[in-house]
Each structure stands twice: as C-alpha cells, then as structure tokens.
Amino acid sequence: MPSEWSPGTLSLTRRFHLAVRHVRDVDARRPLVWDLLLTGVLALAALADLLGERWKLTAHGTDVPGWLPWLVSAGFVLPVAWRRRGPLAVMCVLAVPGFVDSWTGIALEVGVARLVLLYGIAVRRPWRELVWAGALAVAQITVGALRWPEGDFDRQLVPNLMTCAVVVLGGFAVRTRRDYTASLLERARQLEVERDQQAQLATAAERARIAREMHDIIGHHLSVITGLADGGSYASRKNPERATQALEAIGDTSREALGELRKLLGMLRDATVDLAPQPALADLDQLLGRVREAGLPVRVTTSGRGGELSPGLQLAVYRIVQEALTNTLKHAGPGASAEVTLGYAPHGVDLGITDTGVGAASGGPDDGGQGLPGMRQRAALYGGTLAAGPLPSGGWRVHVHLPAERSGQQ
C-alpha cells in the first residue's frame, strides 16, 4: 500500500485544496444551487430546533407564544437565498428577526445565519458594507445582553463579539488569499504576454539580420559577376584568354556565394551544425581581389592594428566595405576607381570608402535601396555613426566610425 508521500499519490493538504477548488468551481457555475443548498441546511437546523423545542431550554422569557419561534426562524432562513444579490440588504432584513430574537430571549440556533451573511460580506463586499453589517450584528448582541443580563455583563457580551470578530477575520483571510491568487494569475498572464512580445521582437530582429546578410551576400556577388560578365563579353572580341579568365572568376565567385548561402541557410535549419567562421578583417584582401577582377580598381590604406577587434566588429567592417564597393560597382559608372581607408585606434575604427564615379555610388538616400540603411544599421548595432554623400569634386564618400569593442569584452 503506497504511503501518503510516495510518488503518484496526493498529500492530504493537496486533496483538501482540490476539494475546496471543486466546491468553488461549482459555486461559480451554479450559484443559485449553492444558495438554495445553504438555505436548506439552515432550514433543517431550524426545523430540528423547533420540533424538539430545544429553544425552550435556552429561552429567557416564559411567556413567548408558540408561533413566534416559527416566524422568527422563517425570518432568519428565507432571506439567505438572496444573500449574493444584496448581502447588506439581506443583513438588514435579518436584523428584524434578530432584534426580536434578542429582545424576547428565544436565542434560536438558526441565528447563526447572520454570521453567514457577515462572513460573505467580509469576503466579497466593500469595507463600508462590512462596517454597517458589523454594526447591525453588534447591536443585536448588545440588545440581548442588556435585555437578559446573566452575571457579569462583559462575560455575556465579549464571547459573542469575539465570535463575530473571528468570522470577520476568517473572511479577511479568504479575501486576502483570493486577491493574492488573482494577482499571481494576472502577473503570470502578463509574463506570458511579455514573453510572446519578446519572442516576436527577437524574431523580427533575427529576420532583419538575416535579410542584411542575404542582401550583402547576394548583392555583392551578383554585382561582381555582372562586372566580370560585361568585361568578359567585351574582352572576348579582342582577347579570348581574358574572357576565359573572366569566366573562371565568375565560377569562383558563384561558388563562393553559394557556399555563404548554404552556410547561412544551414544555420537556420540547424543551430548545432558546424559552421565555418564569418568573414573577418583577414578576408578583406580576398574581397578586394574579387572587386578588382570585376573591373573596379581599388586602393587600400591601413593604419594601426585591427586584429584585437571582436569578431562581430570585424564582420561589421567587412560587410560595410563589401556593401560600399558593391554599390560602387552598380552606380559609379565606367572608368571609376575606389579607395578604402582603415584607421585602427584605441578609441575605435575609422573607415572610409570613396570613389571617383559619376553616379550615386552608395545608392543615395532617395534610391529606395537597402545599401545605406543596411550600413547604418550595422554601424548603429555597435554604437557607431555613418555619414555618406557626394563629394564636391564628383564621386561618393562613405565614412564610418565604430567604437572599440575588443574581443573577449562583454
């Protein structure tokens, strides 16, 4: 036979709470049935008291007519069925048989009905109604104590007042627990809403990040392929060997683009997949080589050391250079050249990309593209700033400052 605390069994306290919850659920679903049941129990108790004439053993008055206890009992029992609709009004109605009961000294046991009303008011109703209900109960008790004094007045009055106080405190305890439980449920609901909102924000941020990566990968490689294809088509008429080199470069660029896309999509499909590292500053030479093969001369000027930068910051520098040169390929026009300047300092990174083109090399603020917004987002992600615009002498300039974020820094 399993013990009370063994796995798979319910403790006595747990069973009690489940029973109380079940009773509350029935009370909430069918309040009228519960009220009629309570009224019936009080009626049976009153009937047992009346038929057995036990009230005569406690009655103080000897000249009480036989019909009066029946009338007073009905006055106590019947209004209880409407205790939910207007508990204070029902308490006022019960005060009539209550004062009669106290004045005549019948002291019917069914007078406990006013304690039931007092408890219900303490649990559910405002404090003002509780004050009025308590005053009515105390007044009835005081009338009985003054009308039929027995020994010490305090000993006769205080126990009845203590009974009312215990009932009210019990109602307070139940009310406090219900309010606390309701606050916990509301807090849990709010946390669920906040959790869903955080998940949606995280999803949106991840989608934006993936969109930036896809835009950088596809846009750059397609621009390089387009430049190589145009150059190879032109060279095929005069230098077939040069056209063959362009086709080979197109193949290498396409395979590299497919590799980066597979890596990105593999990360989306399976977060545990072993991925190659994201591009870093060491990969800039390879990027610039592809751009030069596409027909855009690029000169690089570097000062300082950037190897201590965090991987995320290195990726941001790489992507910004990639996006700026991709836009130069798209918009600068024939015969353009570009220059990349990288300055590493303890305070951060200063990055500049300029070109000598005749068009809006970086897409311009009004072209509706994603070039400038994507670069600004990357810079803002690391607390940096980006400025872009045409040069007075022609061409376009992009300048970015990224605060230092060293590798290993939290």
Side-chain angles (χ1 to χ4, degrees):
M1 181 176 180
S3 64
E4 184 180 0
W5 299 100
S6 63
T9 62
L10 294 176
S11 66
L12 181 62
T13 304
R14 179 63 175 166
R15 292 184 181 184
F16 174 76
H17 285 302
L18 289 176
V20 171
R21 182 183 300 177
H22 179 69
V23 171
R24 289 178 178 174
D25 291 340
V26 174
D27 185 24
R29 290 195 304 267
R30 297 179 176 85
L32 181 59
V33 174
W34 188 256
D35 290 341
L36 292 178
L37 179 62
L38 178 60
T39 304
V41 171
L42 291 175
L44 290 177
L47 189 61
D49 189 19
L50 293 172
L51 293 178
E53 295 186 344
R54 287 181 295 176
W55 60 272
K56 292 183 178 180
L57 301 177
T58 57
H60 297 282
T62 57
D63 56 347
V64 176
W67 54 267
L68 184 59
W70 290 84
L71 184 61
V72 172
S73 297
F76 273 127
V77 172
L78 295 179
V80 175
W82 288 272
R83 66 187 182 95
R84 293 180 193 267
R85 299 182 182 180
L88 183 59
V90 173
M91 191 70 177
C92 293
V93 173
L94 289 182
V96 176
F99 280 116
V100 173
D101 181 70
S102 299
W103 184 260
T104 58
I106 304 175
L108 293 171
E109 295 181 2
V110 77
V112 73
R114 58 191 167 208
L115 297 180
V116 174
L117 264 295
L118 195 61
Y119 172 82
I121 293 174
V123 170
R124 297 184 178 89
R125 304 302 294 178
W127 305 107
R128 184 175 60 183
E129 294 189 16
L130 179 61
V131 171
W132 283 104
L136 287 174
V138 171
Q140 296 170 47
I141 295 172
T142 304
V143 167
L146 293 175
R147 173 67 171 161
W148 307 101
E150 290 183 355
D152 191 356
F153 178 77
D154 292 339
R155 294 181 180 180
Q156 185 177 357
L157 182 64
V158 171
N160 292 322
L161 294 180
M162 289 296 296
T163 301
C164 293
V166 169
V167 169
V168 171
L169 290 176
F172 283 166
V174 173
R175 182 175 191 159
T176 302
R177 182 174 178 81
R178 286 184 179 180
D179 293 343
Y180 177 69
T181 303
S183 66
L184 290 180
L185 293 175
E186 178 63 20
R187 178 59 178 165
R189 188 192 66 81
Q190 292 177 356
L191 289 176
E192 290 179 358
V193 172
E194 292 176 3
R195 180 198 62 191
D196 295 340
Q197 291 176 347
Q198 291 296 329
Q200 293 174 0
L201 291 175
T203 301
E206 184 66 12
R207 286 177 178 174
R209 186 189 68 82
I210 294 171
R212 287 196 303 268
E213 294 294 328
M214 296 287 286
H215 175 269
D216 292 343
I217 293 171
I218 296 175
H220 168 73
H221 288 89
L222 286 181
S223 297
V224 172
I225 291 171
T226 301
L228 290 171
D230 292 342
S233 176
Y234 176 78
S236 64
R237 303 186 185 93
K238 298 181 180 181
N239 190 347
E241 183 179 353
R242 177 60 179 164
T244 302
Q245 294 176 354
L247 290 175
E248 292 176 353
I250 289 174
D252 293 339
T253 303
S254 300
R255 282 188 288 273
E256 184 176 349
L258 288 174
E260 292 193 29
L261 287 176
R262 287 195 190 100
K263 181 171 62 176
L264 183 61
L265 295 177
M267 179 182 63
L268 296 178
R269 286 193 298 267
D270 185 5
T272 63
V273 69
D274 186 16
L275 302 176
Q278 290 277 30
L281 293 177
D283 300 305
L284 275 178
D285 291 339
Q286 185 179 1
L287 169 67
L288 298 174
R290 289 197 305 267
V291 173
R292 293 187 182 106
E293 289 180 356
L296 177 65
V298 183
R299 185 177 63 178
V300 181
T301 303
T302 305
S303 62
R305 296 179 58 187
E308 297 181 359
L309 297 179
S310 68
L313 197 58
Q314 293 188 45
L315 175 62
V317 172
Y318 179 93
R319 291 302 190 196
I320 290 175
V321 173
Q322 182 185 55
E323 179 61 32
L325 293 179
T326 299
N327 288 330
T328 300
L329 285 171
K330 290 180 181 178
H331 305 290
S337 63
E339 181 179 2
V340 178
T341 59
L342 273 170
Y344 304 107
H347 64 275
V349 182
D350 286 303
L351 172 64
I353 305 100
T354 59
D355 67 71
T356 60
V358 297
S362 291
D366 299 324
D367 71 337
Q370 297 299 316
L372 279 177
M375 288 188 286
R376 284 199 177 95
Q377 289 175 4
R378 286 191 182 275
L381 183 63
Y382 291 92
T385 57
L386 182 143
L391 295 171
S393 59
W396 193 273
R397 181 174 186 269
V398 175
H399 179 266
V400 182
H401 174 73
L402 299 173
E405 185 188 52
R406 304 296 174 184
S407 59
Q409 189 176 26
Q410 300 297 325

PDB file of all heavy atoms in Angstrom, residues 303 305 308-309 313 343-351 382-384 399-406 409:
ATOM      1  N   SER A 303      46.069  51.899 -41.333  1.00  0.00           N
ATOM      2  CA  SER A 303      46.912  52.389 -40.249  1.00  0.00           C
ATOM      3  C   SER A 303      46.447  51.757 -38.945  1.00  0.00           C
ATOM      4  O   SER A 303      45.255  51.581 -38.719  1.00  0.00           O
ATOM      5  CB  SER A 303      46.838  53.922 -40.143  1.00  0.00           C
ATOM      6  OG  SER A 303      45.518  54.345 -39.848  1.00  0.00           O
ATOM      7  N   ARG A 305      46.388  48.625 -35.962  1.00  0.00           N
ATOM      8  CA  ARG A 305      46.176  47.170 -35.968  1.00  0.00           C
ATOM      9  C   ARG A 305      44.737  46.869 -35.586  1.00  0.00           C
ATOM     10  O   ARG A 305      44.206  47.408 -34.620  1.00  0.00           O
ATOM     11  CB  ARG A 305      47.120  46.487 -34.962  1.00  0.00           C
ATOM     12  CG  ARG A 305      48.594  46.641 -35.303  1.00  0.00           C
ATOM     13  CD  ARG A 305      49.449  45.957 -34.255  1.00  0.00           C
ATOM     14  NE  ARG A 305      49.113  44.551 -34.144  1.00  0.00           N
ATOM     15  CZ  ARG A 305      49.617  43.733 -33.213  1.00  0.00           C
ATOM     16  NH1 ARG A 305      50.470  44.204 -32.314  1.00  0.00           N
ATOM     17  NH2 ARG A 305      49.256  42.464 -33.180  1.00  0.00           N
ATOM     18  N   GLU A 308      42.814  42.882 -32.824  1.00  0.00           N
ATOM     19  CA  GLU A 308      42.244  42.709 -31.490  1.00  0.00           C
ATOM     20  C   GLU A 308      40.749  42.995 -31.443  1.00  0.00           C
ATOM     21  O   GLU A 308      40.129  42.841 -30.397  1.00  0.00           O
ATOM     22  CB  GLU A 308      42.968  43.633 -30.504  1.00  0.00           C
ATOM     23  CG  GLU A 308      44.451  43.315 -30.329  1.00  0.00           C
ATOM     24  CD  GLU A 308      45.105  44.243 -29.340  1.00  0.00           C
ATOM     25  OE1 GLU A 308      44.399  45.123 -28.818  1.00  0.00           O
ATOM     26  OE2 GLU A 308      46.317  44.095 -29.084  1.00  0.00           O
ATOM     27  N   LEU A 309      40.189  43.450 -32.548  1.00  0.00           N
ATOM     28  CA  LEU A 309      38.759  43.748 -32.555  1.00  0.00           C
ATOM     29  C   LEU A 309      37.952  42.467 -32.419  1.00  0.00           C
ATOM     30  O   LEU A 309      38.372  41.394 -32.857  1.00  0.00           O
ATOM     31  CB  LEU A 309      38.386  44.468 -33.847  1.00  0.00           C
ATOM     32  CG  LEU A 309      39.038  45.838 -34.081  1.00  0.00           C
ATOM     33  CD1 LEU A 309      38.588  46.405 -35.418  1.00  0.00           C
ATOM     34  CD2 LEU A 309      38.699  46.796 -32.965  1.00  0.00           C
ATOM     35  N   LEU A 313      32.624  42.983 -34.567  1.00  0.00           N
ATOM     36  CA  LEU A 313      33.035  44.265 -35.124  1.00  0.00           C
ATOM     37  C   LEU A 313      33.803  44.072 -36.431  1.00  0.00           C
ATOM     38  O   LEU A 313      33.653  44.856 -37.382  1.00  0.00           O
ATOM     39  CB  LEU A 313      33.875  45.019 -34.097  1.00  0.00           C
ATOM     40  CG  LEU A 313      34.064  46.516 -34.339  1.00  0.00           C
ATOM     41  CD1 LEU A 313      32.715  47.213 -34.402  1.00  0.00           C
ATOM     42  CD2 LEU A 313      34.917  47.127 -33.242  1.00  0.00           C
ATOM     43  N   GLY A 343      41.498  52.986 -40.413  1.00  0.00           N
ATOM     44  CA  GLY A 343      42.320  53.506 -39.338  1.00  0.00           C
ATOM     45  C   GLY A 343      41.923  52.884 -38.022  1.00  0.00           C
ATOM     46  O   GLY A 343      40.795  53.093 -37.549  1.00  0.00           O
ATOM     47  N   TYR A 344      42.826  52.097 -37.424  1.00  0.00           N
ATOM     48  CA  TYR A 344      42.562  51.435 -36.148  1.00  0.00           C
ATOM     49  C   TYR A 344      43.221  52.237 -35.029  1.00  0.00           C
ATOM     50  O   TYR A 344      44.394  52.603 -35.118  1.00  0.00           O
ATOM     51  CB  TYR A 344      43.114  50.008 -36.144  1.00  0.00           C
ATOM     52  CG  TYR A 344      42.593  49.157 -37.264  1.00  0.00           C
ATOM     53  CD1 TYR A 344      43.419  48.812 -38.338  1.00  0.00           C
ATOM     54  CD2 TYR A 344      41.286  48.702 -37.262  1.00  0.00           C
ATOM     55  CE1 TYR A 344      42.938  48.025 -39.375  1.00  0.00           C
ATOM     56  CE2 TYR A 344      40.796  47.916 -38.300  1.00  0.00           C
ATOM     57  CZ  TYR A 344      41.632  47.580 -39.356  1.00  0.00           C
ATOM     58  OH  TYR A 344      41.156  46.811 -40.382  1.00  0.00           O
ATOM     59  N   ALA A 345      42.484  52.526 -33.995  1.00  0.00           N
ATOM     60  CA  ALA A 345      42.981  53.291 -32.858  1.00  0.00           C
ATOM     61  C   ALA A 345      42.360  52.726 -31.584  1.00  0.00           C
ATOM     62  O   ALA A 345      41.378  51.972 -31.639  1.00  0.00           O
ATOM     63  CB  ALA A 345      42.629  54.775 -33.016  1.00  0.00           C
ATOM     64  N   PRO A 346      42.914  53.066 -30.423  1.00  0.00           N
ATOM     65  CA  PRO A 346      42.327  52.556 -29.171  1.00  0.00           C
ATOM     66  C   PRO A 346      40.863  52.935 -28.989  1.00  0.00           C
ATOM     67  O   PRO A 346      40.097  52.205 -28.350  1.00  0.00           O
ATOM     68  CB  PRO A 346      43.211  53.179 -28.087  1.00  0.00           C
ATOM     69  CG  PRO A 346      44.516  53.442 -28.759  1.00  0.00           C
ATOM     70  CD  PRO A 346      44.181  53.801 -30.176  1.00  0.00           C
ATOM     71  N   HIS A 347      40.450  54.074 -29.544  1.00  0.00           N
ATOM     72  CA  HIS A 347      39.070  54.518 -29.348  1.00  0.00           C
ATOM     73  C   HIS A 347      38.092  53.859 -30.313  1.00  0.00           C
ATOM     74  O   HIS A 347      36.892  53.973 -30.155  1.00  0.00           O
ATOM     75  CB  HIS A 347      38.983  56.041 -29.506  1.00  0.00           C
ATOM     76  CG  HIS A 347      39.324  56.528 -30.887  1.00  0.00           C
ATOM     77  ND1 HIS A 347      40.622  56.767 -31.276  1.00  0.00           N
ATOM     78  CD2 HIS A 347      38.553  56.792 -31.969  1.00  0.00           C
ATOM     79  CE1 HIS A 347      40.633  57.187 -32.537  1.00  0.00           C
ATOM     80  NE2 HIS A 347      39.388  57.195 -32.978  1.00  0.00           N
ATOM     81  N   GLY A 348      38.608  53.197 -31.366  1.00  0.00           N
ATOM     82  CA  GLY A 348      37.693  52.551 -32.293  1.00  0.00           C
ATOM     83  C   GLY A 348      38.276  52.447 -33.686  1.00  0.00           C
ATOM     84  O   GLY A 348      39.497  52.478 -33.877  1.00  0.00           O
ATOM     85  N   VAL A 349      37.399  52.350 -34.665  1.00  0.00           N
ATOM     86  CA  VAL A 349      37.773  52.165 -36.066  1.00  0.00           C
ATOM     87  C   VAL A 349      37.168  53.290 -36.882  1.00  0.00           C
ATOM     88  O   VAL A 349      35.971  53.593 -36.746  1.00  0.00           O
ATOM     89  CB  VAL A 349      37.264  50.803 -36.598  1.00  0.00           C
ATOM     90  CG1 VAL A 349      37.702  50.602 -38.048  1.00  0.00           C
ATOM     91  CG2 VAL A 349      37.747  49.672 -35.730  1.00  0.00           C
ATOM     92  N   ASP A 350      37.988  53.897 -37.735  1.00  0.00           N
ATOM     93  CA  ASP A 350      37.520  54.879 -38.714  1.00  0.00           C
ATOM     94  C   ASP A 350      37.670  54.267 -40.094  1.00  0.00           C
ATOM     95  O   ASP A 350      38.786  53.888 -40.499  1.00  0.00           O
ATOM     96  CB  ASP A 350      38.313  56.183 -38.608  1.00  0.00           C
ATOM     97  CG  ASP A 350      37.920  56.977 -37.377  1.00  0.00           C
ATOM     98  OD1 ASP A 350      36.721  57.286 -37.244  1.00  0.00           O
ATOM     99  OD2 ASP A 350      38.798  57.266 -36.547  1.00  0.00           O
ATOM    100  N   LEU A 351      36.573  54.180 -40.801  1.00  0.00           N
ATOM    101  CA  LEU A 351      36.530  53.516 -42.105  1.00  0.00           C
ATOM    102  C   LEU A 351      36.013  54.498 -43.144  1.00  0.00           C
ATOM    103  O   LEU A 351      34.983  55.155 -42.927  1.00  0.00           O
ATOM    104  CB  LEU A 351      35.615  52.289 -42.023  1.00  0.00           C
ATOM    105  CG  LEU A 351      35.284  51.574 -43.327  1.00  0.00           C
ATOM    106  CD1 LEU A 351      36.539  50.985 -43.947  1.00  0.00           C
ATOM    107  CD2 LEU A 351      34.233  50.488 -43.077  1.00  0.00           C
ATOM    108  N   TYR A 382      26.669  48.622 -33.249  1.00  0.00           N
ATOM    109  CA  TYR A 382      27.867  48.698 -32.398  1.00  0.00           C
ATOM    110  C   TYR A 382      28.097  50.102 -31.863  1.00  0.00           C
ATOM    111  O   TYR A 382      29.209  50.439 -31.461  1.00  0.00           O
ATOM    112  CB  TYR A 382      29.093  48.225 -33.188  1.00  0.00           C
ATOM    113  CG  TYR A 382      29.045  46.747 -33.486  1.00  0.00           C
ATOM    114  CD1 TYR A 382      28.480  46.272 -34.659  1.00  0.00           C
ATOM    115  CD2 TYR A 382      29.516  45.825 -32.557  1.00  0.00           C
ATOM    116  CE1 TYR A 382      28.406  44.914 -34.922  1.00  0.00           C
ATOM    117  CE2 TYR A 382      29.444  44.466 -32.813  1.00  0.00           C
ATOM    118  CZ  TYR A 382      28.887  44.010 -33.997  1.00  0.00           C
ATOM    119  OH  TYR A 382      28.810  42.664 -34.240  1.00  0.00           O
ATOM    120  N   GLY A 383      27.040  50.934 -31.865  1.00  0.00           N
ATOM    121  CA  GLY A 383      27.144  52.276 -31.313  1.00  0.00           C
ATOM    122  C   GLY A 383      27.927  53.236 -32.183  1.00  0.00           C
ATOM    123  O   GLY A 383      28.415  54.258 -31.689  1.00  0.00           O
ATOM    124  N   GLY A 384      28.047  52.935 -33.468  1.00  0.00           N
ATOM    125  CA  GLY A 384      28.813  53.775 -34.375  1.00  0.00           C
ATOM    126  C   GLY A 384      27.953  54.740 -35.155  1.00  0.00           C
ATOM    127  O   GLY A 384      26.727  54.789 -35.019  1.00  0.00           O
ATOM    128  N   HIS A 399      31.771  57.409 -44.776  1.00  0.00           N
ATOM    129  CA  HIS A 399      32.662  57.434 -43.619  1.00  0.00           C
ATOM    130  C   HIS A 399      31.931  56.825 -42.425  1.00  0.00           C
ATOM    131  O   HIS A 399      30.793  57.185 -42.125  1.00  0.00           O
ATOM    132  CB  HIS A 399      33.115  58.854 -43.273  1.00  0.00           C
ATOM    133  CG  HIS A 399      34.015  58.903 -42.078  1.00  0.00           C
ATOM    134  ND1 HIS A 399      33.545  59.138 -40.799  1.00  0.00           N
ATOM    135  CD2 HIS A 399      35.356  58.718 -41.964  1.00  0.00           C
ATOM    136  CE1 HIS A 399      34.556  59.102 -39.957  1.00  0.00           C
ATOM    137  NE2 HIS A 399      35.675  58.860 -40.627  1.00  0.00           N
ATOM    138  N   VAL A 400      32.622  55.908 -41.757  1.00  0.00           N
ATOM    139  CA  VAL A 400      32.031  55.190 -40.626  1.00  0.00           C
ATOM    140  C   VAL A 400      33.007  55.245 -39.457  1.00  0.00           C
ATOM    141  O   VAL A 400      34.221  55.061 -39.635  1.00  0.00           O
ATOM    142  CB  VAL A 400      31.747  53.713 -40.979  1.00  0.00           C
ATOM    143  CG1 VAL A 400      31.096  52.995 -39.794  1.00  0.00           C
ATOM    144  CG2 VAL A 400      30.867  53.621 -42.209  1.00  0.00           C
ATOM    145  N   HIS A 401      32.445  55.505 -38.277  1.00  0.00           N
ATOM    146  CA  HIS A 401      33.224  55.403 -37.036  1.00  0.00           C
ATOM    147  C   HIS A 401      32.551  54.375 -36.132  1.00  0.00           C
ATOM    148  O   HIS A 401      31.361  54.479 -35.819  1.00  0.00           O
ATOM    149  CB  HIS A 401      33.304  56.745 -36.297  1.00  0.00           C
ATOM    150  CG  HIS A 401      33.976  56.625 -34.961  1.00  0.00           C
ATOM    151  ND1 HIS A 401      35.329  56.442 -34.827  1.00  0.00           N
ATOM    152  CD2 HIS A 401      33.458  56.639 -33.695  1.00  0.00           C
ATOM    153  CE1 HIS A 401      35.628  56.356 -33.536  1.00  0.00           C
ATOM    154  NE2 HIS A 401      34.515  56.473 -32.830  1.00  0.00           N
ATOM    155  N   LEU A 402      33.326  53.387 -35.721  1.00  0.00           N
ATOM    156  CA  LEU A 402      32.829  52.335 -34.843  1.00  0.00           C
ATOM    157  C   LEU A 402      33.641  52.353 -33.551  1.00  0.00           C
ATOM    158  O   LEU A 402      34.875  52.207 -33.596  1.00  0.00           O
ATOM    159  CB  LEU A 402      32.956  50.958 -35.511  1.00  0.00           C
ATOM    160  CG  LEU A 402      32.167  50.763 -36.807  1.00  0.00           C
ATOM    161  CD1 LEU A 402      32.527  49.435 -37.441  1.00  0.00           C
ATOM    162  CD2 LEU A 402      30.680  50.838 -36.534  1.00  0.00           C
ATOM    163  N   PRO A 403      33.001  52.534 -32.383  1.00  0.00           N
ATOM    164  CA  PRO A 403      33.743  52.492 -31.114  1.00  0.00           C
ATOM    165  C   PRO A 403      34.399  51.135 -30.900  1.00  0.00           C
ATOM    166  O   PRO A 403      33.920  50.104 -31.381  1.00  0.00           O
ATOM    167  CB  PRO A 403      32.672  52.771 -30.060  1.00  0.00           C
ATOM    168  CG  PRO A 403      31.558  53.408 -30.805  1.00  0.00           C
ATOM    169  CD  PRO A 403      31.593  52.840 -32.182  1.00  0.00           C
ATOM    170  N   ALA A 404      35.505  51.138 -30.178  1.00  0.00           N
ATOM    171  CA  ALA A 404      36.255  49.899 -29.960  1.00  0.00           C
ATOM    172  C   ALA A 404      35.430  48.928 -29.143  1.00  0.00           C
ATOM    173  O   ALA A 404      34.807  49.279 -28.153  1.00  0.00           O
ATOM    174  CB  ALA A 404      37.584  50.210 -29.246  1.00  0.00           C
ATOM    175  N   GLU A 405      35.450  47.673 -29.581  1.00  0.00           N
ATOM    176  CA  GLU A 405      34.831  46.564 -28.833  1.00  0.00           C
ATOM    177  C   GLU A 405      35.769  45.388 -28.981  1.00  0.00           C
ATOM    178  O   GLU A 405      35.699  44.635 -29.949  1.00  0.00           O
ATOM    179  CB  GLU A 405      33.447  46.227 -29.371  1.00  0.00           C
ATOM    180  CG  GLU A 405      32.740  45.167 -28.543  1.00  0.00           C
ATOM    181  CD  GLU A 405      31.454  44.699 -29.195  1.00  0.00           C
ATOM    182  OE1 GLU A 405      31.513  44.330 -30.377  1.00  0.00           O
ATOM    183  OE2 GLU A 405      30.421  44.734 -28.538  1.00  0.00           O
ATOM    184  N   ARG A 406      36.654  45.248 -28.032  1.00  0.00           N
ATOM    185  CA  ARG A 406      37.712  44.252 -28.157  1.00  0.00           C
ATOM    186  C   ARG A 406      37.171  42.850 -27.997  1.00  0.00           C
ATOM    187  O   ARG A 406      36.155  42.610 -27.351  1.00  0.00           O
ATOM    188  CB  ARG A 406      38.791  44.506 -27.079  1.00  0.00           C
ATOM    189  CG  ARG A 406      39.365  45.912 -27.152  1.00  0.00           C
ATOM    190  CD  ARG A 406      40.097  46.145 -28.446  1.00  0.00           C
ATOM    191  NE  ARG A 406      40.524  47.550 -28.566  1.00  0.00           N
ATOM    192  CZ  ARG A 406      41.114  48.053 -29.628  1.00  0.00           C
ATOM    193  NH1 ARG A 406      41.335  47.282 -30.680  1.00  0.00           N
ATOM    194  NH2 ARG A 406      41.474  49.313 -29.671  1.00  0.00           N
ATOM    195  N   GLN A 409      35.532  41.080 -24.774  1.00  0.00           N
ATOM    196  CA  GLN A 409      34.848  42.101 -23.968  1.00  0.00           C
ATOM    197  C   GLN A 409      33.378  41.778 -23.905  1.00  0.00           C
ATOM    198  O   GLN A 409      32.753  41.475 -24.908  1.00  0.00           O
ATOM    199  CB  GLN A 409      35.067  43.490 -24.594  1.00  0.00           C
ATOM    200  CG  GLN A 409      34.591  44.640 -23.728  1.00  0.00           C
ATOM    201  CD  GLN A 409      34.930  45.958 -24.375  1.00  0.00           C
ATOM    202  OE1 GLN A 409      35.061  46.045 -25.573  1.00  0.00           O
ATOM    203  NE2 GLN A 409      35.078  46.981 -23.583  1.00  0.00           N
TER     204      GLN A 409
END
